[in-house]
Amino acid sequence: MWQWFHKLGSPKWFFGIATRLMPWLLIGGLLLLAAGLVWGLAFAPKDYLQGNSYRIIFIHVPSAFLAQSIYISMAVAALVTLVWRMKLADVFVKAIAPVGLVFTFLALFTGAVWGKPTWGTWWVWDARLTSMLILLFLYGGVIALDRAINDEKSAARAVAVLVLVGVVNIPIIKYSVDWWNTLHQPATFKLTEKPTMPMEMWLPLLLSVLGLYLLFGWLTCLRMKTEILVREQRTRWVKELVLAGGK
Amino acid sequence: MHPIRKKRLTIVLFLVAGLAIAVGLTTYALRQNINLFYDPSDIAAGNAPVDVRIRAGGMVEEGSVIRDPDSLKVEFRVTDFAASLQMEYVGILPDLFAEGQGVVAMGRMNANGRFIADQVLAKHDEQYMPPEVAEALERASRGQHKAADLEKAAESTAY
């Protein structure tokens, strides 16, 4: 297990693995997401109360899932950066923070668009919506802090501390709808309990969530490879790679 | 594990645990402000201030909605099944507003214990189902009511 862990610390090894994984992630992600979205948006039954407007759930829930999962994985990587000083963990945080920002924004935006016809308002300061907005600012803070410090090592540590501080927000987002009175309803899409929607709505939602996770994996590999090339540009293996035409 | 790494790990874990406790205590202390709305039982217990803009929420009681035919004025009762609260609102209600559905209203309590709302938002639950299923459920529950009514009628005429 430790050998695998140390291998993961080698940018060159990761570069090879990522290159091999990427086509599978891209094809699998596109297929699943397309299947989930077409099924959900065009063929799944209407909701008895909201009619067709509930269909935004097929974009809203996957984005919100990703927004939180990305932050949790960033926190794990931040822990690795602080304790083991592994360079690749920092590359990971740097590569995915903007992706997390985009998904958080998407979740907030689709939520607002959905809130207007169902609740009657774009925005309300309830605990779920506010904690999601804090997550958006955390992502923004992580990106800004990283850009503000020129030295790579001190930037990595400062960012790692900020990410770990912000991780307290994640259980607040998750349980806000149970701990406090909120306008936002409790979770529909649960992995551990029986879902509160029929199979023909739940399955397309599951497909979109899985598809978006795979596409996120592909994007992570792509962004990490770019960052690795920039950081390792003086090493021999990168020079050989470039001379060989990137093959 | 290397002793230096062990030390770093302990520091990081202490940092996160301490922070979690601090945030936990803060949100616990502020829970009344974080709650988006007061329940009817909170208001019945006198926990909500009078003549201050607050939000109140609950389920619209069946058969309690009275619409004024000449204006947009609506009166209805909101309940949490322990207490209920009389509300008044002048304006356009959201599409999802219906008897048996959740609402969150912004407004003031007046001296007579009535809630004068200036904004009504619909709250929906996490249940989604196709219209046919909802209809079938409705029919089934009505069938049960009918069966219960029949039983009651049978009991009352038994002697």
Side-chain angles (χ1 to χ4, degrees), chain A residues 45-50 54 57 79 82-85 114 118-121 124-127 164-165 167-168 172 179-188 196-198 200-201, chain B residues 1 5-6 8-9 12-13 15-16 19-20 23 27 31 34-39 42 55 94-96 101 104 119-132 134:
Chain A
K46 279 203 277 195
D47 180 51
Y48 75 111
L49 203 60
Q50 299 181 32
Y54 94 97
I57 199 174
L79 183 74
L82 284 180
V83 177
W84 286 276
R85 301 275 193 262
W114 194 5
T118 44
W119 298 338
T121 181
V124 65
W125 290 101
D126 85 345
L164 280 174
V165 166
V167 83
V168 190
I172 295 183
W179 289 342
W180 301 292
N181 286 337
T182 53
L183 189 61
H184 195 288
Q185 70 282 6
T188 298
T196 55
M197 61 190 338
E200 61 266 37
M201 293 176 178
Chain B
M1 204 191 285
R5 288 176 185 160
K6 211 170 203 169
R8 286 188 203 139
L9 186 63
V12 171
L13 290 182
L15 172 94
V16 173
L19 210 73
V23 172
T27 48
R31 65 193 179 283
I34 297 175
N35 277 334
L36 185 71
F37 54 86
Y38 289 95
D39 293 324
D42 282 341
R55 282 203 191 88
D95 289 350
L96 253 60
Q101 287 293 323
V104 174
Q119 184 194 33
V120 175
L121 301 178
K123 181 171 160 60
H124 66 92
D125 60 11
E126 70 276 27
Q127 304 281 346
Y128 297 88
M129 55 180 124
E132 305 86 61

Side-chain angles (χ1 to χ4, degrees), chain A residues 56 59-61 63 105-115:
Chain A
I56 207 163
I59 299 168
H60 178 74
V61 166
S63 315
F105 176 77
L106 259 182
L108 285 168
F109 179 76
T110 52
V113 171
W114 194 5

Side-chain angles (χ1 to χ4, degrees), chain A residues 35-88:
Chain A
L37 285 184
V38 170
W39 187 359
L41 295 181
F43 297 106
K46 279 203 277 195
D47 180 51
Y48 75 111
L49 203 60
Q50 299 181 32
N52 279 320
S53 70
Y54 94 97
R55 290 185 201 276
I56 207 163
I57 199 174
F58 296 107
I59 299 168
H60 178 74
V61 166
S63 315
F65 257 63
L66 254 295
Q68 293 171 71
S69 306
I70 291 174
Y71 201 91
I72 295 170
S73 54
M74 267 169 61
V76 173
L79 183 74
V80 174
T81 303
L82 284 180
V83 177
W84 286 276
R85 301 275 193 262
M86 195 188 277
K87 276 192 233 155
L88 211 54

Side-chain angles (χ1 to χ4, degrees), chain A:
Chain A
M1 190 240 159
W2 285 107
Q3 197 195 355
W4 173 83
F5 192 66
H6 285 296
K7 254 192 191 166
L8 199 62
S10 146
K12 189 186 169 192
W13 180 84
F14 176 84
F15 197 93
I17 287 284
T19 311
R20 262 179 286 157
L21 264 179
M22 274 172 68
W24 299 107
L25 289 172
L26 181 64
I27 293 167
L30 282 179
L31 283 179
L32 284 179
L33 189 66
L37 285 184
V38 170
W39 187 359
L41 295 181
F43 297 106
K46 279 203 277 195
D47 180 51
Y48 75 111
L49 203 60
Q50 299 181 32
N52 279 320
S53 70
Y54 94 97
R55 290 185 201 276
I56 207 163
I57 199 174
F58 296 107
I59 299 168
H60 178 74
V61 166
S63 315
F65 257 63
L66 254 295
Q68 293 171 71
S69 306
I70 291 174
Y71 201 91
I72 295 170
S73 54
M74 267 169 61
V76 173
L79 183 74
V80 174
T81 303
L82 284 180
V83 177
W84 286 276
R85 301 275 193 262
M86 195 188 277
K87 276 192 233 155
L88 211 54
D90 177 47
V91 171
F92 179 72
V93 171
K94 236 183 148 168
I96 66 171
V99 185
L101 181 92
V102 169
F103 280 120
T104 313
F105 176 77
L106 259 182
L108 285 168
F109 179 76
T110 52
V113 171
W114 194 5
K116 188 65 187 166
T118 44
W119 298 338
T121 181
W122 299 100
W123 181 263
V124 65
W125 290 101
D126 85 345
R128 170 58 73 82
L129 276 65
T130 310
S131 54
M132 239 0 226
L133 188 67
I134 292 174
L135 186 68
L136 183 77
F137 293 154
L138 273 171
Y139 277 123
V142 165
I143 297 168
L145 187 64
D146 184 58
R147 301 274 162 86
I149 304 173
N150 277 327
D151 179 49
E152 203 173 84
K153 272 186 188 162
S154 19
R157 282 179 211 171
V159 163
V161 171
L162 177 63
V163 169
L164 280 174
V165 166
V167 83
V168 190
N169 191 33
I170 292 293
I172 295 183
I173 297 177
K174 171 122 177 49
Y175 294 107
S176 53
V177 286
D178 303 323
W179 289 342
W180 301 292
N181 286 337
T182 53
L183 189 61
H184 195 288
Q185 70 282 6
T188 298
F189 189 84
K190 285 167 284 200
L191 295 173
T192 47
E193 290 166 53
K194 204 176 159 292
T196 55
M197 61 190 338
M199 268 302 149
E200 61 266 37
M201 293 176 178
W202 186 77
L203 272 179
L205 188 54
L206 180 73
L207 290 184
S208 335
V209 170
L210 290 179
L212 208 57
Y213 268 100
L214 291 187
L215 279 184
F216 161 69
W218 171 77
L219 193 57
T220 308
C221 288
L222 184 72
R223 294 181 58 87
M224 282 179 78
K225 276 173 71 178
T226 314
E227 180 70 24
I228 287 172
L229 286 184
V230 172
R231 289 193 183 191
E232 308 272 309
Q233 51 187 307
R234 287 176 214 292
T235 60
R236 230 177 75 199
W237 72 270
V238 170
K239 279 179 186 154
E240 278 167 7
L241 188 83
V242 172
L243 286 178
K247 292 280 158 59

